[in-house]
């Protein structure tokens, strides 16, 4: 949520910055018009209430003096009726202002590349050697099916498209990957959390999924409950409506959870394999910090996610997303994209974002500064990492000419000593 006071004070700045995210300046004008009407009615209501209080005192005085107060009583009944009507209008306007503001995305940082599409993202760095294969590489799903460790057909039969079964060493590999991530994250100072997988609407609103993106999630019928699209939701909302003690900042959380996404806006994309599923595992990282530290925390978050890929020996690059390609809540996003040999391209495996005070305003997460004044924290999130996509990257990058897959050295202990998956 943006600061409404800032929108009032610097409307041209807000219009300019949000236009880079595809927001029509007329939406800002509409919001400000509603807000101006609301503030005007607040003044009118308060003035009339003050008048009513004054006249009520006069009525009491007249009654004490045995004088006629009927005219003033009639007048105040009319005033009270008008106040009731105004307050009803105010309730409606408050809801309209809130809804309009809730649909506005975060203000992009000045260093974010401007673009109304994903084209134009800026590469920050590359790492690692792309595998030099003297054979034609297979796609991860073909490898998995041939090795008998991924069964998409059974997943489709039981649940529908974009679901699967991991079998045998495939299931073991998935477990090895997320346990490795959790261990590395906790070594780096993140506190491991096992959060709820179903959250209420207030939680979805707090992290920015609601009200704009309801079509992208799975909701429980006739209930104010949603299957989480990412562990970011329960992790950020842990502190909803709370004041974090200043001495506790920064707070770093990590969690392994399933993620459930309807992918309503992704029809026809990545229909095969592990890249775009309706249910997948993800290890998430969330940070809360003071505003002055959040940009350093973003770089540290990104570097840590990179370290996981480096230890797995997977080539990748880091890009900064354009203004319109990053998430609704982000002020800046660094994507890590890992190399996929069969597709001969990089694919996203982690997004690390600084949401500044955007989520904290929506979820009312604050701390007291040195002067005892309440301030909003800055919240950051990043995948550390998407587990299924990591498995896919391992299968493709560590495949051998005979169709077997070598296990990265750091995962061998998690695989019970298994060094290669074969038929």
């Amino acid at each position: 949520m943006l600061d409404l006071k800032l929108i009032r004070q610097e409307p041209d700045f807000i219009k300019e910055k949000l236009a880079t995210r595809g927001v029509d300046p007329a939406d800002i004008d509409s919001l400000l018009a509603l807000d101006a009407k609301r503030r005007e009615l607040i003044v009118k209501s308060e003035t009339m209430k003050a008048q009513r209080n004054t006249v009520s005192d006069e009525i009491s005085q007249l009654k004490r003096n045995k004088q006629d107060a009927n005219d003033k009583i009639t007048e105040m009944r009319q005033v009270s009726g008008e106040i009731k009507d105004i307050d009803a209008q105010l309730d409606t306007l408050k809801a309209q202002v809130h809804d309009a503001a809730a649909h506005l995305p975060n203000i992009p940082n000045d260093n974010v590349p401007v673009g109304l599409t994903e084209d134009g993202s800026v590469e920050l760095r590359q790492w690692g050697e792309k595998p030099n294969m003297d054979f034609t590489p297979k796609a991860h799903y073909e490898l998995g099916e041939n090795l008998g460790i991924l069964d998409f057909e059974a997943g489709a039969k039981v649940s529908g498209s974009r679901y699967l079964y991991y079998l045998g060493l495939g299931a073991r590999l998935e477990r090895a990957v997320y346990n490795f991530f959790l261990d590395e994250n906790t070594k780096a100072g993140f506190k491991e959390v096992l959060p709820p997988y179903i959250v209420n609407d207030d939680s979805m609103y707090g992290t920015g999924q609601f009200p704009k993106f309801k079509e992208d999630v799975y909701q429980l019928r006739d209930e104010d409950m949603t299957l989480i699209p990412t562990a970011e939701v329960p992790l950020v909302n842990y502190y909803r409506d709370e004041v974090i003690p200043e001495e506790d900042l920064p707070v770093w959380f990590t969690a392994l959870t399933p993620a459930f996404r309807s992918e309503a806006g992704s029809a026809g994309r990545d229909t095969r394999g592990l890249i775009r599923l309706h249910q997948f595992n993800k290890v998430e990282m969330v940070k809360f910090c003071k505003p002055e530290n959040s940009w350093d925390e973003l770089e540290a978050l990104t570097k840590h996610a990179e370290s996981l890929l480096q230890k797995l020996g997977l080539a990748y690059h880091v890009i900064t997303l354009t203004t319109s390609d990053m998430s609704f809540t982000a002020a800046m996003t660094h994507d890590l994209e890992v190399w996929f040999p069969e597709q001969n391209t990089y694919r996203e495996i982690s997004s690390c974002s600084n949401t500044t005070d955007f989520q904290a305003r929506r979820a009312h997460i604050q701390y007291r500064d040195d002067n005892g004044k309440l301030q909003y924290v800055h919240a950051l999130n990043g995948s550390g990492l998407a587990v299924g996509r990591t498995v896919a990257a391992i299968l493709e990058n560590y495949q051998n000419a005979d169709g077997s897959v070598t296990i990265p050295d750091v995962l061998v202990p998690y695989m019970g000593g298994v060094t290669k998956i074969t038929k």
Side-chain angles (χ1 to χ4, degrees):
M1 179 74 77
L2 299 181
D3 184 354
L4 191 54
K5 183 178 179 181
L6 176 63
I7 298 175
R8 290 190 204 112
Q9 292 175 340
E10 300 188 51
D12 291 338
F13 167 76
I14 297 296
K15 289 178 185 178
E16 178 185 357
K17 297 298 284 186
L18 295 192
T20 69
R21 305 204 65 177
V23 175
D24 189 337
D27 292 345
I28 310 299
D29 290 331
S30 177
L31 168 61
L32 289 172
L34 290 169
D35 181 56
K37 179 63 175 176
R38 182 184 68 89
R39 298 172 75 198
E40 176 187 324
L41 287 180
I42 288 173
V43 172
K44 186 174 181 180
S45 176
E46 290 177 347
T47 300
M48 294 180 74
K49 287 174 181 176
Q51 177 193 2
R52 183 176 61 182
N53 291 339
T54 299
V55 175
S56 293
D57 290 341
E58 293 175 0
I59 291 171
S60 297
Q61 185 63 42
L62 287 170
K63 287 182 175 181
R64 280 194 296 271
N65 295 336
K66 309 296 185 182
Q67 293 177 290
D68 183 16
N70 288 335
D71 288 346
K72 289 186 179 293
I73 291 172
T74 299
E75 178 188 353
M76 285 307 98
R77 283 175 179 163
Q78 182 178 347
V79 169
S80 294
E82 292 178 9
I83 290 172
K84 184 177 180 180
D85 289 342
I86 291 172
D87 286 348
Q89 293 179 58
L90 280 171
D91 287 342
T92 299
L93 281 168
K94 181 180 178 181
Q96 290 174 336
V97 168
H98 187 273
D99 184 65
H103 280 79
L104 295 177
N106 202 355
I107 300 168
N109 181 273
D110 289 341
N111 293 320
V112 173
V114 174
L116 293 179
T117 68
E118 62 184 31
D119 297 330
S121 60
V122 174
E123 184 180 76
L124 300 179
R125 52 190 171 269
Q126 292 186 11
W127 185 92
E129 294 279 336
K130 299 171 186 174
N132 183 18
M133 299 176 178
D134 57 2
F135 58 92
T136 301
K138 292 183 172 64
H140 68 275
Y141 47 83
E142 185 179 357
L143 288 161
E145 289 171 333
N146 290 344
L147 290 169
I149 60 173
L150 301 178
D151 193 333
F152 295 95
E153 186 176 339
K157 176 183 69 176
V158 171
S159 300
S161 63
R162 301 191 185 186
Y163 293 91
L164 81 154
Y165 283 82
Y166 287 84
L167 302 172
L169 290 178
R172 184 68 181 261
L173 179 58
E174 174 99 352
R175 177 157 56 95
V177 167
Y178 61 64
N179 282 332
F180 168 68
F181 288 161
L182 288 172
D183 286 348
E184 291 298 309
N185 290 353
T186 54
K187 286 177 189 175
F190 289 86
K191 178 183 287 187
E192 185 175 350
V193 179
L194 185 60
Y197 300 161
I198 303 175
V199 296
N200 55 33
D201 283 2
D202 287 342
S203 297
M204 293 294 284
Y205 175 83
T207 44
Q209 280 81 16
F210 286 1
K212 192 171 183 179
F213 302 105
K214 281 193 173 185
E215 72 279 4
D216 293 329
V217 298
Y218 290 106
Q219 293 186 274
L220 275 63
R221 184 175 298 169
D222 301 325
E223 290 192 50
D224 165 24
M225 302 295 282
T226 300
L227 297 174
I228 60 171
T230 166
E232 173 194 341
V233 179
L235 292 181
V236 170
N237 280 280
Y238 181 82
Y239 284 115
R240 191 176 79 235
D241 298 323
E242 293 191 22
V243 177
I244 303 175
E246 182 184 17
E247 61 271 19
D248 289 350
L249 293 172
V251 174
W252 295 8
F253 285 154
T254 188
L256 161 72
T257 68
F260 303 92
R261 300 185 185 179
S262 70
E263 296 288 357
S266 304
R269 297 180 62 189
D270 299 310
T271 54
R272 296 195 67 185
L274 300 171
I275 300 300
R276 200 174 298 276
L277 298 170
H278 292 308
Q279 174 192 318
F280 57 94
N281 289 319
K282 183 155 71 83
V283 176
E284 186 74 5
M285 303 177 292
V286 162
K287 292 184 174 185
F288 303 94
C289 66
K290 296 180 181 180
E292 60 267 26
N293 300 327
S294 67
W295 296 108
D296 288 339
E297 290 283 8
L298 174 61
E299 296 310 313
L301 185 69
T302 306
K303 286 286 189 181
H304 177 69
E306 289 182 66
S307 74
L308 301 176
L309 290 175
Q310 291 172 9
K311 289 174 181 177
L312 288 169
L314 295 171
Y316 68 90
H317 72 168
V318 182
I319 60 174
T320 300
L321 298 185
T322 64
T323 48
S324 63
D325 195 29
M326 61 186 181
S327 74
F328 177 80
T329 62
M332 176 181 280
T333 298
H334 297 322
D335 262 14
L336 277 63
E337 295 186 335
V338 69
W339 181 252
F340 275 79
E342 189 272 339
Q343 295 183 28
N344 195 39
T345 191
Y346 290 105
R347 299 301 303 267
E348 177 203 337
I349 200 166
S350 174
S351 287
C352 297
S353 299
N354 184 358
T355 72
T356 58
D357 63 356
F358 190 85
Q359 288 182 328
R361 285 183 182 277
R362 297 172 77 98
H364 301 108
I365 305 171
Q366 298 174 298
Y367 75 100
R368 291 191 185 276
D369 63 19
D370 293 338
N371 298 318
K373 185 177 179 181
L374 285 173
Q375 306 284 357
Y376 288 105
V377 300
H378 279 197
L380 302 91
N381 64 80
S383 306
L385 302 165
V387 180
R389 293 190 179 200
T390 305
V391 170
I394 290 170
L395 293 178
E396 288 204 14
N397 283 274
Y398 282 90
Q399 64 179 291
N400 303 303
D402 63 359
S404 64
V405 174
T406 301
I407 302 298
D409 290 343
V410 293
L411 295 184
V412 170
Y414 293 91
M415 293 290 292
V418 173
T419 60
K420 186 179 289 189
I421 301 176
T422 60
K423 288 186 178 180

